[in-house]
Amino acid sequence: MVGGSGVDTVVRVESLPVPQADSVGVPPIREWVGHTGGNVALGCRALGLGVTFLDFIGDDPPGGRVRERLADGGVDFEHLVSPAGTRRAVNLVDGTGRRMSFYDARDPGDLRMPRDFYLPHLRRARHVHLSIVNFARFLYDDVVDLGVPVSTDLHDWDGVEDHHRDFALRSDVVFLSAAGAGERIAPVMREILREGRAEVVVATAGAGGSYLMTRDGGRTPRPIPATVPPAPVVDSNGAGDAYVSGFLYGRLAGRRVEDCARLGAVAGAYACTGHGSSALIGPEALASAQV
């Protein structure tokens, strides 16, 4: 796992969008270590995979919380210090678990991860997952030269924004949210397969399930139904990252791509039953889904 750690401040609100007001009373505000890289790393580790996580964090209290949480989760976290500090986000979460995130990336544009830091780890990896932080794009040449499969999550990419394009076209497995491209999601998925190296493209749609396209599977996205959460929905923070973890778990086990998507759906649904990124499914619970 490369890039994408940070700390979320979660504010519970009655509804989204929030009403315009000078002050709105809310339940207790909580902080959770997560962000996409941390969530995927913790999710994969909870499923029994060996995980090394490479990233920049700040020499600051949020960075200390990131190190502590990843250590508690059994993740081998190798980090460098960023002069800009640890990434943060403020997430508004409504009563149905939907969220709106205000993301403070804060990485300088010229931030780069030294090759002598990351290459020894890449050489030992079976799979690499790159977050869409800017410095991660500069690892692609080495990842491809080493012949290591690579995945990424474009989140709410609209199919146009240039920042995401390298990641979309240079990864073997591409995840994205269907919400970003809206009705254009199918053409965006086809473009990724046509123009890039991807074998598989997965678009997640929350409670609407997910959609799957493969290089040899036709031009129409195949729907994968959502899984009903095993308990009431509390918070959708990290559900997409949990989906990625479940999918990669299946892929590394040699499962069919449709099975991987169903495993992702189970893991994503489970993640919605806890606050922040606290509900991480284990291999026994995932196996009991009989996917």
PDB file of all heavy atoms in Angstrom, residues 42-68:
ATOM      1  N   LEU A  42      -5.534  -1.475   6.650  1.00  0.00           N
ATOM      2  CA  LEU A  42      -6.112  -2.128   7.825  1.00  0.00           C
ATOM      3  C   LEU A  42      -7.107  -3.210   7.428  1.00  0.00           C
ATOM      4  O   LEU A  42      -7.177  -4.267   8.053  1.00  0.00           O
ATOM      5  CB  LEU A  42      -6.783  -1.081   8.712  1.00  0.00           C
ATOM      6  CG  LEU A  42      -5.828  -0.148   9.469  1.00  0.00           C
ATOM      7  CD1 LEU A  42      -6.583   1.060  10.008  1.00  0.00           C
ATOM      8  CD2 LEU A  42      -5.132  -0.895  10.602  1.00  0.00           C
ATOM      9  N   GLY A  43      -7.902  -2.934   6.379  1.00  0.00           N
ATOM     10  CA  GLY A  43      -8.871  -3.923   5.926  1.00  0.00           C
ATOM     11  C   GLY A  43      -8.215  -5.184   5.403  1.00  0.00           C
ATOM     12  O   GLY A  43      -8.651  -6.299   5.710  1.00  0.00           O
ATOM     13  N   CYS A  44      -7.150  -5.032   4.617  1.00  0.00           N
ATOM     14  CA  CYS A  44      -6.435  -6.199   4.087  1.00  0.00           C
ATOM     15  C   CYS A  44      -5.754  -6.974   5.209  1.00  0.00           C
ATOM     16  O   CYS A  44      -5.734  -8.207   5.211  1.00  0.00           O
ATOM     17  CB  CYS A  44      -5.410  -5.757   3.046  1.00  0.00           C
ATOM     18  SG  CYS A  44      -6.115  -5.248   1.456  1.00  0.00           S
ATOM     19  N   ARG A  45      -5.203  -6.245   6.168  1.00  0.00           N
ATOM     20  CA  ARG A  45      -4.532  -6.925   7.288  1.00  0.00           C
ATOM     21  C   ARG A  45      -5.543  -7.696   8.130  1.00  0.00           C
ATOM     22  O   ARG A  45      -5.261  -8.811   8.599  1.00  0.00           O
ATOM     23  CB  ARG A  45      -3.799  -5.901   8.160  1.00  0.00           C
ATOM     24  CG  ARG A  45      -2.974  -6.542   9.251  1.00  0.00           C
ATOM     25  CD  ARG A  45      -1.779  -7.297   8.678  1.00  0.00           C
ATOM     26  NE  ARG A  45      -1.140  -8.158   9.675  1.00  0.00           N
ATOM     27  CZ  ARG A  45      -1.300  -9.474   9.736  1.00  0.00           C
ATOM     28  NH1 ARG A  45      -2.088 -10.092   8.851  1.00  0.00           N
ATOM     29  NH2 ARG A  45      -0.685 -10.191  10.648  1.00  0.00           N
ATOM     30  N   ALA A  46      -6.731  -7.107   8.355  1.00  0.00           N
ATOM     31  CA  ALA A  46      -7.767  -7.797   9.125  1.00  0.00           C
ATOM     32  C   ALA A  46      -8.192  -9.096   8.449  1.00  0.00           C
ATOM     33  O   ALA A  46      -8.644 -10.032   9.110  1.00  0.00           O
ATOM     34  CB  ALA A  46      -8.975  -6.886   9.320  1.00  0.00           C
ATOM     35  N   LEU A  47      -8.041  -9.162   7.121  1.00  0.00           N
ATOM     36  CA  LEU A  47      -8.370 -10.364   6.371  1.00  0.00           C
ATOM     37  C   LEU A  47      -7.218 -11.363   6.334  1.00  0.00           C
ATOM     38  O   LEU A  47      -7.314 -12.398   5.674  1.00  0.00           O
ATOM     39  CB  LEU A  47      -8.798  -9.991   4.950  1.00  0.00           C
ATOM     40  CG  LEU A  47     -10.181  -9.356   4.849  1.00  0.00           C
ATOM     41  CD1 LEU A  47     -10.403  -8.739   3.475  1.00  0.00           C
ATOM     42  CD2 LEU A  47     -11.268 -10.374   5.165  1.00  0.00           C
ATOM     43  N   GLY A  48      -6.136 -11.047   7.025  1.00  0.00           N
ATOM     44  CA  GLY A  48      -5.033 -11.989   7.141  1.00  0.00           C
ATOM     45  C   GLY A  48      -3.911 -11.795   6.150  1.00  0.00           C
ATOM     46  O   GLY A  48      -2.949 -12.577   6.150  1.00  0.00           O
ATOM     47  N   LEU A  49      -3.989 -10.780   5.298  1.00  0.00           N
ATOM     48  CA  LEU A  49      -2.923 -10.516   4.345  1.00  0.00           C
ATOM     49  C   LEU A  49      -1.769  -9.795   5.034  1.00  0.00           C
ATOM     50  O   LEU A  49      -1.982  -8.968   5.920  1.00  0.00           O
ATOM     51  CB  LEU A  49      -3.439  -9.669   3.180  1.00  0.00           C
ATOM     52  CG  LEU A  49      -4.549 -10.287   2.334  1.00  0.00           C
ATOM     53  CD1 LEU A  49      -5.076  -9.277   1.320  1.00  0.00           C
ATOM     54  CD2 LEU A  49      -4.053 -11.539   1.623  1.00  0.00           C
ATOM     55  N   GLY A  50      -0.547 -10.099   4.614  1.00  0.00           N
ATOM     56  CA  GLY A  50       0.602  -9.347   5.087  1.00  0.00           C
ATOM     57  C   GLY A  50       0.652  -8.011   4.363  1.00  0.00           C
ATOM     58  O   GLY A  50       0.612  -7.965   3.133  1.00  0.00           O
ATOM     59  N   VAL A  51       0.706  -6.912   5.101  1.00  0.00           N
ATOM     60  CA  VAL A  51       0.600  -5.580   4.503  1.00  0.00           C
ATOM     61  C   VAL A  51       1.765  -4.706   4.951  1.00  0.00           C
ATOM     62  O   VAL A  51       2.014  -4.550   6.148  1.00  0.00           O
ATOM     63  CB  VAL A  51      -0.722  -4.889   4.898  1.00  0.00           C
ATOM     64  CG1 VAL A  51      -0.801  -3.498   4.267  1.00  0.00           C
ATOM     65  CG2 VAL A  51      -1.924  -5.722   4.485  1.00  0.00           C
ATOM     66  N   THR A  52       2.458  -4.132   3.980  1.00  0.00           N
ATOM     67  CA  THR A  52       3.411  -3.054   4.242  1.00  0.00           C
ATOM     68  C   THR A  52       2.840  -1.781   3.638  1.00  0.00           C
ATOM     69  O   THR A  52       2.411  -1.779   2.480  1.00  0.00           O
ATOM     70  CB  THR A  52       4.786  -3.347   3.631  1.00  0.00           C
ATOM     71  OG1 THR A  52       5.335  -4.513   4.251  1.00  0.00           O
ATOM     72  CG2 THR A  52       5.742  -2.188   3.850  1.00  0.00           C
ATOM     73  N   PHE A  53       2.840  -0.729   4.414  1.00  0.00           N
ATOM     74  CA  PHE A  53       2.231   0.543   4.019  1.00  0.00           C
ATOM     75  C   PHE A  53       3.329   1.601   4.002  1.00  0.00           C
ATOM     76  O   PHE A  53       4.002   1.831   5.013  1.00  0.00           O
ATOM     77  CB  PHE A  53       1.132   0.890   5.028  1.00  0.00           C
ATOM     78  CG  PHE A  53       0.316   2.118   4.712  1.00  0.00           C
ATOM     79  CD1 PHE A  53       0.394   2.776   3.490  1.00  0.00           C
ATOM     80  CD2 PHE A  53      -0.565   2.623   5.655  1.00  0.00           C
ATOM     81  CE1 PHE A  53      -0.368   3.883   3.210  1.00  0.00           C
ATOM     82  CE2 PHE A  53      -1.336   3.742   5.401  1.00  0.00           C
ATOM     83  CZ  PHE A  53      -1.236   4.374   4.177  1.00  0.00           C
ATOM     84  N   LEU A  54       3.526   2.240   2.850  1.00  0.00           N
ATOM     85  CA  LEU A  54       4.525   3.292   2.679  1.00  0.00           C
ATOM     86  C   LEU A  54       3.826   4.624   2.510  1.00  0.00           C
ATOM     87  O   LEU A  54       2.920   4.752   1.688  1.00  0.00           O
ATOM     88  CB  LEU A  54       5.387   3.018   1.444  1.00  0.00           C
ATOM     89  CG  LEU A  54       5.982   1.619   1.288  1.00  0.00           C
ATOM     90  CD1 LEU A  54       6.790   1.538  -0.009  1.00  0.00           C
ATOM     91  CD2 LEU A  54       6.844   1.249   2.479  1.00  0.00           C
ATOM     92  N   ASP A  55       4.256   5.639   3.268  1.00  0.00           N
ATOM     93  CA  ASP A  55       3.590   6.931   3.144  1.00  0.00           C
ATOM     94  C   ASP A  55       4.414   8.029   3.806  1.00  0.00           C
ATOM     95  O   ASP A  55       5.389   7.769   4.516  1.00  0.00           O
ATOM     96  CB  ASP A  55       2.208   6.882   3.793  1.00  0.00           C
ATOM     97  CG  ASP A  55       1.264   7.975   3.284  1.00  0.00           C
ATOM     98  OD1 ASP A  55       1.654   8.724   2.354  1.00  0.00           O
ATOM     99  OD2 ASP A  55       0.139   8.083   3.814  1.00  0.00           O
ATOM    100  N   PHE A  56       4.003   9.262   3.549  1.00  0.00           N
ATOM    101  CA  PHE A  56       4.463  10.441   4.264  1.00  0.00           C
ATOM    102  C   PHE A  56       3.427  10.809   5.320  1.00  0.00           C
ATOM    103  O   PHE A  56       2.222  10.797   5.045  1.00  0.00           O
ATOM    104  CB  PHE A  56       4.599  11.638   3.315  1.00  0.00           C
ATOM    105  CG  PHE A  56       5.776  11.578   2.384  1.00  0.00           C
ATOM    106  CD1 PHE A  56       5.631  11.062   1.097  1.00  0.00           C
ATOM    107  CD2 PHE A  56       7.016  12.060   2.763  1.00  0.00           C
ATOM    108  CE1 PHE A  56       6.691  11.024   0.219  1.00  0.00           C
ATOM    109  CE2 PHE A  56       8.088  12.029   1.894  1.00  0.00           C
ATOM    110  CZ  PHE A  56       7.942  11.509   0.620  1.00  0.00           C
ATOM    111  N   ILE A  57       3.887  11.130   6.510  1.00  0.00           N
ATOM    112  CA  ILE A  57       3.027  11.725   7.527  1.00  0.00           C
ATOM    113  C   ILE A  57       3.801  12.854   8.194  1.00  0.00           C
ATOM    114  O   ILE A  57       5.004  12.993   7.995  1.00  0.00           O
ATOM    115  CB  ILE A  57       2.559  10.712   8.604  1.00  0.00           C
ATOM    116  CG1 ILE A  57       3.760  10.060   9.281  1.00  0.00           C
ATOM    117  CG2 ILE A  57       1.626   9.678   7.999  1.00  0.00           C
ATOM    118  CD1 ILE A  57       3.382   9.213  10.475  1.00  0.00           C
ATOM    119  N   GLY A  58       3.113  13.656   8.981  1.00  0.00           N
ATOM    120  CA  GLY A  58       3.775  14.743   9.670  1.00  0.00           C
ATOM    121  C   GLY A  58       4.372  14.306  10.998  1.00  0.00           C
ATOM    122  O   GLY A  58       3.967  13.302  11.591  1.00  0.00           O
ATOM    123  N   ASP A  59       5.327  15.075  11.457  1.00  0.00           N
ATOM    124  CA  ASP A  59       5.861  14.899  12.812  1.00  0.00           C
ATOM    125  C   ASP A  59       4.968  15.710  13.742  1.00  0.00           C
ATOM    126  O   ASP A  59       5.353  16.758  14.259  1.00  0.00           O
ATOM    127  CB  ASP A  59       7.312  15.375  12.862  1.00  0.00           C
ATOM    128  CG  ASP A  59       7.953  15.157  14.227  1.00  0.00           C
ATOM    129  OD1 ASP A  59       7.388  14.387  15.025  1.00  0.00           O
ATOM    130  OD2 ASP A  59       9.007  15.782  14.490  1.00  0.00           O
ATOM    131  N   ASP A  60       3.754  15.223  13.942  1.00  0.00           N
ATOM    132  CA  ASP A  60       2.731  15.973  14.649  1.00  0.00           C
ATOM    133  C   ASP A  60       1.788  14.996  15.355  1.00  0.00           C
ATOM    134  O   ASP A  60       1.874  13.785  15.137  1.00  0.00           O
ATOM    135  CB  ASP A  60       1.955  16.876  13.673  1.00  0.00           C
ATOM    136  CG  ASP A  60       1.458  16.150  12.426  1.00  0.00           C
ATOM    137  OD1 ASP A  60       1.269  14.914  12.492  1.00  0.00           O
ATOM    138  OD2 ASP A  60       1.241  16.808  11.392  1.00  0.00           O
ATOM    139  N   PRO A  61       0.900  15.486  16.227  1.00  0.00           N
ATOM    140  CA  PRO A  61      -0.005  14.559  16.931  1.00  0.00           C
ATOM    141  C   PRO A  61      -0.858  13.687  16.012  1.00  0.00           C
ATOM    142  O   PRO A  61      -1.011  12.481  16.283  1.00  0.00           O
ATOM    143  CB  PRO A  61      -0.846  15.501  17.795  1.00  0.00           C
ATOM    144  CG  PRO A  61       0.056  16.660  18.064  1.00  0.00           C
ATOM    145  CD  PRO A  61       0.827  16.859  16.784  1.00  0.00           C
ATOM    146  N   PRO A  62      -1.445  14.216  14.913  1.00  0.00           N
ATOM    147  CA  PRO A  62      -2.180  13.311  14.021  1.00  0.00           C
ATOM    148  C   PRO A  62      -1.300  12.203  13.448  1.00  0.00           C
ATOM    149  O   PRO A  62      -1.751  11.065  13.304  1.00  0.00           O
ATOM    150  CB  PRO A  62      -2.705  14.246  12.922  1.00  0.00           C
ATOM    151  CG  PRO A  62      -2.774  15.589  13.577  1.00  0.00           C
ATOM    152  CD  PRO A  62      -1.609  15.634  14.501  1.00  0.00           C
ATOM    153  N   GLY A  63      -0.050  12.532  13.132  1.00  0.00           N
ATOM    154  CA  GLY A  63       0.859  11.506  12.635  1.00  0.00           C
ATOM    155  C   GLY A  63       1.111  10.431  13.670  1.00  0.00           C
ATOM    156  O   GLY A  63       1.208   9.233  13.351  1.00  0.00           O
ATOM    157  N   GLY A  64       1.216  10.837  14.933  1.00  0.00           N
ATOM    158  CA  GLY A  64       1.373   9.865  16.002  1.00  0.00           C
ATOM    159  C   GLY A  64       0.178   8.944  16.114  1.00  0.00           C
ATOM    160  O   GLY A  64       0.322   7.734  16.359  1.00  0.00           O
ATOM    161  N   ARG A  65      -1.022   9.485  15.909  1.00  0.00           N
ATOM    162  CA  ARG A  65      -2.227   8.662  15.964  1.00  0.00           C
ATOM    163  C   ARG A  65      -2.258   7.666  14.807  1.00  0.00           C
ATOM    164  O   ARG A  65      -2.696   6.518  14.974  1.00  0.00           O
ATOM    165  CB  ARG A  65      -3.467   9.541  15.925  1.00  0.00           C
ATOM    166  CG  ARG A  65      -3.627  10.431  17.154  1.00  0.00           C
ATOM    167  CD  ARG A  65      -5.011  11.019  17.205  1.00  0.00           C
ATOM    168  NE  ARG A  65      -6.014   9.965  17.312  1.00  0.00           N
ATOM    169  CZ  ARG A  65      -7.315  10.162  17.159  1.00  0.00           C
ATOM    170  NH1 ARG A  65      -7.771  11.372  16.879  1.00  0.00           N
ATOM    171  NH2 ARG A  65      -8.168   9.171  17.279  1.00  0.00           N
ATOM    172  N   VAL A  66      -1.793   8.105  13.623  1.00  0.00           N
ATOM    173  CA  VAL A  66      -1.729   7.201  12.471  1.00  0.00           C
ATOM    174  C   VAL A  66      -0.783   6.044  12.774  1.00  0.00           C
ATOM    175  O   VAL A  66      -1.126   4.866  12.558  1.00  0.00           O
ATOM    176  CB  VAL A  66      -1.277   7.966  11.206  1.00  0.00           C
ATOM    177  CG1 VAL A  66      -0.956   6.984  10.078  1.00  0.00           C
ATOM    178  CG2 VAL A  66      -2.348   8.950  10.760  1.00  0.00           C
ATOM    179  N   ARG A  67       0.392   6.346  13.283  1.00  0.00           N
ATOM    180  CA  ARG A  67       1.357   5.286  13.589  1.00  0.00           C
ATOM    181  C   ARG A  67       0.799   4.300  14.613  1.00  0.00           C
ATOM    182  O   ARG A  67       0.940   3.086  14.468  1.00  0.00           O
ATOM    183  CB  ARG A  67       2.668   5.904  14.115  1.00  0.00           C
ATOM    184  CG  ARG A  67       3.432   6.730  13.097  1.00  0.00           C
ATOM    185  CD  ARG A  67       4.846   7.021  13.564  1.00  0.00           C
ATOM    186  NE  ARG A  67       4.882   7.703  14.849  1.00  0.00           N
ATOM    187  CZ  ARG A  67       4.828   9.023  14.996  1.00  0.00           C
ATOM    188  NH1 ARG A  67       4.729   9.798  13.921  1.00  0.00           N
ATOM    189  NH2 ARG A  67       4.885   9.571  16.193  1.00  0.00           N
ATOM    190  N   GLU A  68       0.143   4.828  15.639  1.00  0.00           N
ATOM    191  CA  GLU A  68      -0.397   3.973  16.695  1.00  0.00           C
ATOM    192  C   GLU A  68      -1.504   3.064  16.173  1.00  0.00           C
ATOM    193  O   GLU A  68      -1.538   1.863  16.474  1.00  0.00           O
ATOM    194  CB  GLU A  68      -0.930   4.844  17.827  1.00  0.00           C
ATOM    195  CG  GLU A  68      -1.505   4.058  18.997  1.00  0.00           C
ATOM    196  CD  GLU A  68      -2.012   4.963  20.100  1.00  0.00           C
ATOM    197  OE1 GLU A  68      -1.931   6.209  19.967  1.00  0.00           O
ATOM    198  OE2 GLU A  68      -2.519   4.420  21.105  1.00  0.00           O
TER     199      GLU A  68
END
